[in-house]
Amino acid sequence: MEETKTIDNNVEVAKPYHDINTPFSIDENGALAEYIINDPEKMPQLALGASILIRDRKTEGLSSNDYKDFWYAGRIIGLKSVSPFNPERTSMLYQQDTLMDPTIPLDNINGPHTHQPMVIQVALTRELSPREDKPDEFTESAIQRPPSGYSRLFFPKLERSANDPSPTLKDILRVKDEGLNLGMIGFGNKPYGWNTGDFIEYKWDIDKLDNKHIFIVGESGSGKTVFLKNLAYEIRKHDAKNKIIMTDVQGDISQLLFWDFVNHIPTSGWQPSIKEDDYKAAKGVFGKFRLIVPWTKDPYAETEVISIVELARKRSVDVRRISLRFQDLDSPKDAEYLFRTSSDQAVLLIEDLAEGLKSSGEPASLSRLQTAISRLLTRNTTPQITIPTNGVSYYRSTFEASRRALRGLEEYFDMDPDGLQSDQNPLDDFDFDGTTILYLDHLNQDERLMWEMQLVSWLYRKKKAMQNTYVFFDEAHQIIPANKSGGSSSSAEVFARLRSNFERLAREGRKFRLNLVLSTQNPQDLHPIVPEQCPTRVVMKINPKNAQYAFLDKELAHVANSFSQGQFWIQSPFNGTPDWVRVHSIAPPVPHASMEIFRASITEAQTTVTK
């Protein structure tokens, strides 16, 4: 069989790099092979993680000489240069290529001895055989044997050509034609087609995904925030019925509210330019905006957030100032980590009192609970006091400790008198047809945790009503930590309950198309249930030690460590290939600036309003 019939003459190939001492193998470590290319400059696509094809042949029967071509799909897991004058393996001594003849360099001192051949280490993933009824389609199967000496490695073409029946890159990666555009595919430092504009878009086909939960990892400066903004934009652009809820823990998500004085991120290099009309149209894609800003008793924090609130209102943003209500907690135990007391019995006493109030039709607010405790202390002078509603007795000191705990909780709950009088849970404001931003930048860590914890609980209770909703939790390691170091055993119980609530939400929410977008820059601090519940994973620039917690392969982690802003690996097994694919983000038509520039712009805009 002539080689030119199965591989285009213009395609550079690599030959098997094996001998009797180092054969190709298939074992418990997978299917591995090595190939050698004489002139690496002729293979500019060489890069760790890049998809490759290996053409080979096989017979269908035991005695048949009728060979048929098939292909192995795989990816590069290692690259190394070798010397043609000191071959490691005997196969190098029998290369027919003139560049591998060790006598030729002696005839021309400035000749090919100045280059070094390169060994390509590959992990094979599956076999591809052309279908007889549809030659342009392929049947995939498990790898049954290692490649033969007849095999040749090459890079797949981006588009199919008449004289080359081999699978294209789109065939190998199973690139979708429909879905959200997350960027352009390219395993090097630029996407394929960067010089011609003929890009291969990575489409995330959410309509075909049963589980749309996505997990995003990236250190500061990796482009994670821009990715999240673009993801929200693409989700709304895909279907205007999709609802967006975004937690804003650093203040940069709220830039989406200020299209008039926060510019879009500038394009660079190969990235398509953003037209002014596209930028204006993108604002309409997000639909109506709602900004939810929690009340806080910190006067400095209130001063800091007031400019955001006023400027948002002047731009017709639906701003809601709300407070959590203690009566809406699933259990007083949810707030136990905030108690300013060492009494282990305090939370049990508060729980009993809350049940008594609820049984009589009264809300278990902080003020009512404190009133109940004060009455019992006043009416009883004995060391032990019995709760009338259930007959349980507690020491007087436990009542005192419970009252101190409730006073401390006034910094977190029941700060809105009007909200306390309403029959509606303030968190019902998250049920909004459009884009909702929960602003948390002005809160301390304990306040943020309580808000996000209650949002998780509320979403679970309302999951049937929140269909087609995408909820973005940034810095997810703070609300679903791997371990809660320090603190009391009660704090550990609170975080264990939070993890349980999250897992219930992740498992059951997807049945009602309530989808989670979880991001972090510290995956080592994140509980493993997060990546377990998220089949789609995105890894941006990150330290290799942290990459293992996102289940990124070791050799790809070293590449991720050198990513520039906006580059990422994505693995979405139900959206195509289970392999990691390298994607280069485009510059989306959404507002984005550094926080330093944004704060200065806020100050300038507020000054203009004042004048």
Side-chain angles (χ1 to χ4, degrees), residues 81-98:
S81 297
V82 295
S83 170
F85 302 103
N86 185 24
E88 296 178 356
R89 300 178 188 175
T90 55
S91 62
M92 292 190 68
L93 300 176
Y94 302 99
Q95 295 285 347
Q96 297 178 1
D97 206 307
T98 56

Side-chain angles (χ1 to χ4, degrees), residues 260-497:
D260 54 330
F261 64 81
V262 181
N263 294 324
H264 59 73
I265 187 170
T267 59
S268 62
W270 59 268
Q271 293 178 326
S273 60
I274 300 173
K275 298 179 181 178
E276 194 61 31
D277 289 344
D278 294 337
Y279 186 60
K280 292 179 180 178
K283 181 182 179 182
V285 167
F286 280 94
K288 296 180 180 179
F289 282 100
R290 172 171 286 179
L291 176 65
I292 296 179
V293 182
W295 286 106
T296 177
K297 288 199 171 182
D298 183 346
Y300 176 78
E302 275 295 310
T303 302
E304 191 179 49
V305 78
I306 195 64
S307 295
I308 295 285
V309 170
E310 291 179 357
L311 290 173
R313 282 176 172 157
K314 289 184 178 296
R315 284 152 182 80
S316 301
V317 175
D318 181 8
V319 180
R320 302 293 177 96
R321 297 300 308 271
I322 63 176
S323 168
L324 293 175
R325 301 189 308 186
F326 192 76
Q327 66 202 50
D328 296 323
L329 297 185
D330 292 333
S331 167
K333 290 182 178 180
D334 288 346
E336 189 177 3
Y337 74 99
L338 300 172
F339 284 10
R340 294 177 181 174
T341 176
S342 58
S343 173
D344 293 334
Q345 296 293 306
V347 68
L348 299 177
L349 170 58
I350 293 173
E351 197 167 36
D352 286 342
L353 292 173
E355 287 299 323
L357 288 171
K358 291 178 182 178
S359 63
S360 61
E362 295 183 69
S365 64
L366 294 179
S367 61
R368 282 186 167 87
L369 287 168
Q370 290 180 73
T371 299
I373 290 175
S374 296
R375 285 175 178 171
L376 288 170
L377 285 171
T378 302
R379 296 172 181 175
N380 296 272
T381 58
T382 57
Q384 285 193 325
I385 302 174
T386 300
I387 298 178
T389 54
N390 62 6
V392 178
S393 297
Y394 292 92
Y395 286 106
R396 190 178 190 86
S397 59
T398 302
F399 278 82
E400 296 286 359
S402 298
R403 185 160 57 179
R404 290 194 301 271
L406 292 171
R407 287 172 181 168
L409 292 178
E410 291 176 352
E411 296 182 10
Y412 304 92
F413 301 95
D414 297 359
M415 286 178 275
D416 180 12
D418 293 335
L420 288 173
Q421 302 303 317
S422 174
D423 294 333
Q424 182 179 358
N425 187 334
L427 295 182
D428 290 345
D429 284 343
F430 284 101
D431 188 359
F432 176 68
D433 291 330
T435 302
T436 303
I437 297 175
L438 172 60
Y439 191 86
L440 300 173
D441 185 43
H442 64 307
L443 304 183
N444 63 42
Q445 183 57 42
D446 285 336
E447 290 174 306
R448 291 178 187 175
L449 174 60
M450 180 53 68
W451 269 92
E452 291 182 305
M453 184 163 60
Q454 293 313 305
L455 178 57
V456 168
S457 297
W458 180 86
L459 287 168
Y460 179 75
R461 292 194 299 269
K462 296 287 186 177
K463 56 185 179 294
K464 292 183 180 180
M466 298 299 288
Q467 295 187 21
N468 300 316
T469 300
Y470 293 78
V471 187
F472 291 61
F473 285 101
D474 196 10
E475 302 306 330
H477 64 277
Q478 295 178 358
I479 58 170
I480 318 159
N483 294 293
K484 180 62 177 176
S485 58
S488 64
S489 59
S490 60
S491 295
E493 292 176 8
V494 169
F495 281 89
R497 191 158 52 252

Side-chain angles (χ1 to χ4, degrees), residues 245-258:
I245 298 174
M246 306 183 78
T247 60
D248 187 6
V249 298
Q250 296 179 346
D252 45 8
I253 297 297
S254 62
Q255 295 175 7
L256 290 172
L257 305 174
F258 306 109

Side-chain angles (χ1 to χ4, degrees), residues 47-51 75-78 187 539-544 547-548 551-563 568-571 578-582:
L48 285 176
S51 294
R75 61 183 177 84
I76 297 176
I77 60 173
F187 288 95
V539 180
M540 310 188 81
K541 180 178 174 60
I542 194 171
N543 185 293
Q548 62 179 309
F551 302 99
L552 184 66
D553 298 337
K554 186 176 181 180
E555 69 274 5
L556 304 185
H558 290 285
V559 178
N561 188 41
S562 302
F563 274 167
F568 58 90
W569 293 110
I570 183 168
Q571 183 186 53
D579 297 333
W580 289 94
V581 180
R582 186 170 175 178

Side-chain angles (χ1 to χ4, degrees), residues 126 172-176 202 209 572-579:
R126 59 195 184 277
I172 297 172
L173 299 180
R174 307 182 192 130
V175 176
K176 301 292 185 178
Y202 185 91
L209 293 178
S572 188
F574 303 108
N575 189 57
T577 176
D579 297 333

